[in-house]
Amino acid sequence: MTLYAINTRGVVGTGPDVTKMESTNSQVDFNLARDYQDSLSHIAQETGGLSFQNSHNFKVGFDSVLSDLIHQYLLCYRPPDHKKQGQYHSIKIVSKRAAVNLRHRLGYED
């Protein structure tokens, strides 16, 4: 399953906004927002999807997802039997064509 992450929070600033929150909470709020965005990016990357964040122009994010869905191929394979269950197995996909952007899961666990 490929996941696409679009953070609708918009731009996350780096400093306190004294008009909207107390300065003692602003750094905590910024750290939470950054951790949230990092989590979204990681999930998207691990599943071969895209992450869009830190922008108010959501059209760019949704257009990127739609373009990606139009120009994709689905490859399937049956993994070999593994002697030990619960291990992580890396996936490597290569293309003989130049200028092909390959995004895929990095691996899986039995």
Side-chain angles (χ1 to χ4, degrees), residues 13-108:
T14 59
D17 182 354
V18 294
T19 64
K20 295 186 179 176
M21 63 183 83
E22 295 180 26
S23 60
T24 56
N25 293 331
S26 63
Q27 189 60 37
V28 172
D29 290 344
F30 172 72
N31 288 337
L32 287 173
R34 188 187 65 229
D35 289 346
Y36 177 70
Q37 286 188 356
D38 290 347
S39 297
L40 289 174
S41 292
H42 183 74
I43 291 168
Q45 181 183 12
E46 287 292 318
T47 62
L50 298 170
S51 175
F52 178 78
Q53 55 197 357
N54 258 352
S55 177
H56 290 295
N57 188 356
F58 299 114
K59 183 177 181 335
V60 172
F62 287 116
D63 286 349
S64 296
V65 172
L66 290 175
S67 176
D68 193 55
L69 293 174
I70 291 169
H71 300 97
Q72 72 175 345
Y73 293 92
L74 178 63
L75 301 176
C76 299
Y77 78 104
R78 182 177 178 170
D81 291 332
H82 300 290
K83 294 180 182 183
K84 292 183 180 178
Q85 295 295 316
Q87 289 185 328
Y88 183 82
H89 305 282
S90 298
I91 297 174
K92 182 177 180 181
I93 298 176
V94 295
S95 173
K96 294 180 181 180
R97 294 179 118 185
V100 172
N101 181 17
L102 296 174
R103 282 193 334 269
H104 57 86
R105 293 176 55 181
L106 301 178
Y108 65 96

